[in-house]
Amino acid sequence: MTMKHNGAKKLSQMSNFYSTFDQINGVHPWMEAVKDGFVAYRVRQLNTGKIAYFNFALAKEMGLIPADHSDQMNDELAEKLIETFSLQIINEYDELTNRRIDPETIRPHKYMATRYLQLQHANKQGKTSGDGRGIWNGTVYNRGITWDVSSRGTGVTCLAPGAVSAQKPLKTGGTEFGYGCGLAEMDELLAASILAEVMHLQGIRTERMLCVIDLGKGYGIGVRAAHNLVRPAHLFLYLKQERYDSLKAATDYLIDRQVANKAWDIKAKGAAKYDELLDAVCKSFAEFTALLDIDYIFAWLDWDGDNVLADAGIIDYGSIRQFGIRHDKYKYDDVERFSTNLNEQKQKARLIVQVFAQMVDYLKTKQKKPLRDFARHPMVLKFNSQFVEFRAQRLLYRMGFNEKQRANILEKKDLFEKFDREFSFFERAKVSGSEEKVADGVNHPALYNMRHLLKAYPHFLSESPLPFEKRWMLEKDFFKTVLSSFAKSRDARMGEKQRLHIESFQKLYRDLVVTAAGKQKPDTILKGICERAEKLNSDKRITGNALIEMVDEIITEKKRGLPLEQIQKIVDRLVFDHNGMPEIPVGRFYKEKEFTGAVKMDLFAKLLSLVEENKESI
């Protein structure tokens, strides 16, 4: 057998080894279910680019690579990823100008850019909006779960805000009109790769980045995956347009997918299933928003249901920030309008549930009633009570209490409410002065760092030699521990008001520990609380500012010759440090994972120093 024949045989075998990627070919069930819910585009293979990041754990979970595949990129896998995902649409501008395209590079199936509601468009009914620079690559089915796969940075569509405002087809890569380029920058793709996986490891529903392809000149393609990438906005546009049949088709599709994936337990048939849908949505959004509130995660929610998944999960990391402390006055400046802030996320989530209530009523009656008629809908009121319950659970979880201990505490509702008032006094306090400009918006910084206190205080109780009831942290030590780096000189003076709250906080915190312990002695549970609180309030938390500076540093080093495999290892290492959060089921590919990749230590040390410098920032 000749050497040439041997090489061809090996290439064929490797191609078959990664043949699972062939199912990702542009075909998606949404195209059949909601026939007017997308714009179809011919797509061409770019046959260029390099793999900057590949999520091996996610790929194994999706069944795209074998479970025992090494977490190392090889030439054959890289080639398959480029073949599958290095794509660009042939858009209206290309068609009008008769752009010369090699027919052999054109994929056999058209890919869809989906339509959905977006408030940033002048038309508030979703007639012009949707995926402006992305396409849906298709679905992957593995072990009873269907995954959606989509890409951003694949060319400007007619649904892009820039194309709509220009009132003409735009050329991909053009910068004349805002939100009209159609490309994605490498810094945003790498930032999303890190933060999405960190969120996943914290037990937050989210899209995840499967792959990042570096196309050169600062641009790339980001491939994301989730069990369901449908947003509320995919349904709401048909509600606003009063297109009953399309709304029913889209809603039925959502229900069927969620039930098939065992995400929602909806058993009813006919119109009754929409009531169960509403109940599932209410619970999901109450839990999600409570988690964002306690974990200081900024996500730009609004009634259009654009920047969120239909099952209440994170999508589009361009508008996601993880704060170090409660900067609940921060607002992002999007030129034409400011975003919501952390405090307003609850009311916006409730408004999304209210729109769902309006939608369900329309589906059942075929008559669209005004949104205000649903302000006191039972499910909207249920959202309020469920938010309170989930928020209490999440706060106690973040403090380090386990499930049984939380149950013991919440049996004494009055005790928790008293503690929560004291906690909120510190958590929501602001530095003296007023709102100030920051790089991308406005903020009024938080005065106290409660994450630091939640980590330090159980250690103090655990290490004190005194009887439990006599363990009091000195007021000056407590105040020093809790004071944030944003405090001005006048803020750093402790007054009588602060002393009273410090005393009350300590008393109530100890009461929580006694109650959590039940029939045990408090000291028997302090060690576990310390360990959990240490992990859940770690200084390795990556804030929004830290992430921006870290990715800038990585991109700068890349320009100086940093190999792409180092970017992969650094992203993996940063993500892996967030593995092992209490009570978070992350799947066996993280449980079995051991980080062994050698990172460029001087660069990694620099990145960790940026995390430390920004640990209290937005």
Side-chain angles (χ1 to χ4, degrees):
M1 191 179 285
T2 66
M3 189 83 95
K4 185 176 179 181
H5 187 72
N6 271 331
K9 184 178 179 183
K10 183 183 178 185
L11 193 63
S12 173
Q13 287 172 340
M14 291 309 296
S15 177
N16 289 334
F17 190 66
Y18 295 118
S19 62
T20 47
F21 285 94
D22 294 338
Q23 66 190 294
I24 308 173
N25 60 5
V27 176
H28 193 283
W30 182 265
M31 298 167 115
E32 281 299 313
V34 191
K35 295 188 183 298
D36 57 355
F38 60 95
V39 178
Y41 285 99
R42 290 193 298 153
V43 166
R44 65 190 183 96
Q45 290 181 210
L46 295 176
N47 295 324
T48 187
K50 296 179 180 178
I51 306 305
Y53 171 69
F54 183 63
N55 192 332
F56 286 94
L58 176 57
K60 291 174 184 179
E61 202 176 327
M62 295 173 70
L64 289 170
I65 59 175
D68 59 355
H69 193 290
S70 73
D71 288 357
Q72 299 287 325
M73 185 56 58
N74 60 58
D75 291 345
E76 292 79 12
L77 177 56
E79 186 179 323
K80 194 67 178 180
L81 293 171
I82 296 297
E83 175 193 317
T84 307
F85 298 119
S86 184
L87 309 171
Q88 192 172 95
I89 63 171
I90 302 169
N91 72 2
E92 293 82 1
Y93 181 90
D94 298 329
E95 302 280 10
L96 280 171
T97 57
N98 294 313
R99 182 177 181 179
R100 293 180 63 186
I101 296 169
D102 182 352
E104 290 194 4
T105 66
I106 299 175
R107 283 293 191 105
H109 300 290
K110 288 186 175 182
Y111 286 56
M112 68 176 184
T114 60
R115 296 182 178 275
Y116 52 84
L117 197 62
Q118 266 185 321
L119 280 180
Q120 67 195 94
H121 281 250
N123 183 283
K124 306 303 182 193
Q125 293 186 314
K127 292 180 178 178
T128 61
S129 52
D131 295 312
R133 56 169 180 165
I135 51 174
W136 291 51
N137 302 80
T139 59
V140 172
Y141 182 79
N142 183 51
R143 299 174 70 91
I145 298 293
T146 299
W147 298 74
D148 284 334
V149 183
S150 74
S151 296
R152 74 186 100 167
T154 50
V156 59
T157 78
C158 66
L159 303 175
V164 175
S165 61
Q167 296 186 318
K168 65 178 183 180
L170 296 183
K171 181 180 180 180
T172 291
T175 56
E176 186 182 352
F177 296 92
Y179 294 106
C181 172
L183 303 180
E185 296 179 342
M186 280 297 295
D187 57 355
E188 67 163 303
L189 298 178
L190 290 176
S193 300
I194 296 167
L195 193 53
E197 209 62 10
V198 166
M199 291 294 177
H200 170 67
L201 290 174
Q202 292 181 98
I204 300 168
R205 279 188 297 272
T206 178
E207 68 171 16
R208 295 164 68 188
M209 196 69 86
L210 175 64
C211 179
V212 174
I213 299 173
D214 185 355
L215 296 175
K217 298 183 179 178
Y219 292 108
I221 291 172
V223 183
R224 60 188 174 196
H227 291 179
N228 195 338
L229 285 172
V230 170
R231 315 173 192 218
H234 280 107
L235 313 183
F236 289 175
L237 83 164
Y238 297 119
L239 172 65
K240 298 305 171 188
Q241 295 173 27
E242 297 188 49
R243 293 169 60 187
Y244 181 87
D245 291 341
S246 295
L247 175 61
K248 185 178 185 305
T251 308
D252 289 347
Y253 168 87
L254 172 64
I255 291 171
D256 290 345
R257 165 64 75 83
Q258 291 292 90
V259 170
N261 277 351
K262 297 181 175 57
W264 289 347
D265 183 23
I266 295 177
K267 296 185 173 67
K269 305 296 181 186
K273 69 182 176 183
Y274 301 126
D275 291 321
E276 293 191 19
L277 157 76
L278 183 55
D279 190 68
V281 164
C282 175
K283 181 182 178 184
S284 295
F285 274 88
E287 184 176 20
F288 177 64
T289 318
L291 189 153
L292 297 181
D293 187 77
I294 293 298
D295 287 24
Y296 310 152
I297 296 168
F298 165 78
W300 190 349
L301 299 179
D302 218 320
W303 68 264
D304 59 350
D306 169 19
N307 284 359
V308 67
L309 293 171
D311 62 353
I314 296 175
I315 192 168
D316 286 343
Y317 273 83
S319 60
I320 303 296
R321 274 179 179 268
Q322 191 169 234
F323 300 153
I325 52 182
R326 193 180 179 89
H327 294 295
D328 55 21
K329 297 298 182 183
Y330 167 81
K331 289 190 175 187
Y332 176 71
D333 185 356
D334 197 28
V335 184
E336 293 180 1
R337 62 189 176 125
F338 279 101
S339 72
T340 52
N341 64 33
L342 196 65
N343 291 333
E344 294 166 337
Q345 290 181 165
K346 176 189 173 185
Q347 69 190 59
K348 292 297 185 181
R350 182 173 59 227
L351 194 52
I352 291 171
V353 173
Q354 189 174 331
V355 178
F356 267 109
Q358 181 193 30
M359 184 190 87
V360 165
D361 182 78
Y362 178 54
L363 284 168
K364 291 166 67 178
T365 66
K366 296 192 177 182
Q367 291 184 334
K368 185 186 169 193
K369 300 181 182 70
L371 181 59
R372 63 177 176 271
D373 288 2
F374 299 89
R376 304 287 298 172
H377 187 280
M379 206 54 66
V380 175
L381 299 179
K382 187 175 182 180
F383 169 88
N384 293 336
S385 60
Q386 287 188 328
F387 173 86
V388 170
E389 292 169 12
F390 285 125
R391 183 185 168 280
Q393 282 281 350
R394 190 69 182 184
L395 175 54
L396 293 171
Y397 167 78
R398 186 149 291 282
M399 291 173 69
F401 294 109
N402 66 29
E403 190 174 1
K404 179 67 171 72
Q405 292 160 3
R406 297 196 299 270
N408 288 343
I409 290 170
L410 292 174
E411 281 181 9
K412 291 189 175 181
K413 191 176 177 184
D414 288 351
L415 172 61
F416 173 78
E417 289 177 351
K418 286 177 185 175
F419 173 80
D420 189 27
R421 283 194 290 273
E422 292 301 330
F423 181 85
S424 295
F425 166 79
F426 290 103
E427 184 190 46
R428 293 171 185 267
K430 300 291 174 281
V431 300
S432 54
S434 57
E435 193 177 78
E436 55 194 47
K437 290 196 74 172
V438 292
D440 57 1
V442 295
N443 187 33
H444 190 173
L447 176 55
Y448 301 117
N449 184 338
M450 296 307 287
R451 294 182 67 257
H452 190 204
L453 183 68
L454 293 184
K455 183 173 65 171
Y457 198 72
H459 277 287
F460 162 77
L461 290 179
S462 179
E463 292 164 4
S464 173
L466 296 172
F468 185 77
E469 66 276 6
K470 293 185 178 180
R471 295 174 196 174
W472 288 92
M473 184 183 281
L474 294 176
E475 291 168 349
K476 62 181 180 64
D477 293 338
F478 186 105
F479 195 64
K480 183 180 177 181
T481 299
V482 79
L483 207 60
S484 82
S485 59
F486 292 94
K488 300 172 184 177
S489 57
R490 75 185 88 163
D491 301 317
R493 292 192 292 269
M494 181 174 50
E496 186 60 26
K497 182 180 179 181
Q498 285 78 19
R499 287 191 177 91
L500 290 171
H501 282 289
I502 289 170
E503 180 182 355
S504 181
F505 181 97
Q506 294 198 68
K507 179 184 181 306
L508 290 165
Y509 188 103
R510 286 187 325 200
D511 288 347
L512 289 183
V513 174
V514 170
T515 304
K519 295 179 180 178
Q520 303 176 68
K521 290 184 177 180
D523 282 312
T524 61
I525 68 169
L526 278 174
K527 184 172 183 282
I529 293 172
C530 287
E531 290 173 354
R532 289 165 63 99
E534 182 87 33
K535 185 75 175 176
L536 290 164
N537 299 284
S538 168
D539 285 342
K540 291 183 179 180
R541 178 185 179 87
I542 301 173
T543 63
N545 281 352
L547 187 62
I548 291 168
E549 292 184 27
M550 291 162 71
V551 171
D552 282 348
E553 191 69 30
I554 292 170
I555 296 291
T556 299
E557 286 295 313
K558 177 177 169 290
K559 290 175 181 175
R560 292 174 181 159
L562 182 73
L564 287 177
E565 56 263 30
Q566 265 299 307
I567 294 179
Q568 173 80 47
K569 289 175 181 176
I570 285 168
V571 172
D572 282 344
R573 176 69 179 270
L574 289 169
V575 167
F576 188 72
D577 279 344
H578 294 77
N579 196 13
M581 293 293 176
E583 300 178 37
I584 304 301
V586 294
R588 70 183 179 100
F589 300 116
Y590 268 108
K591 284 181 182 174
E592 297 169 358
K593 192 177 176 77
E594 288 184 21
F595 188 84
T596 54
V599 298
K600 190 171 184 286
M601 284 313 298
D602 57 340
L603 173 58
F604 193 69
K606 171 67 173 172
L607 299 182
L608 293 184
S609 72
L610 292 173
V611 172
E612 173 66 24
E613 288 167 21
N614 288 281
K615 66 183 179 183
E616 291 188 337
S617 69
I618 53 176

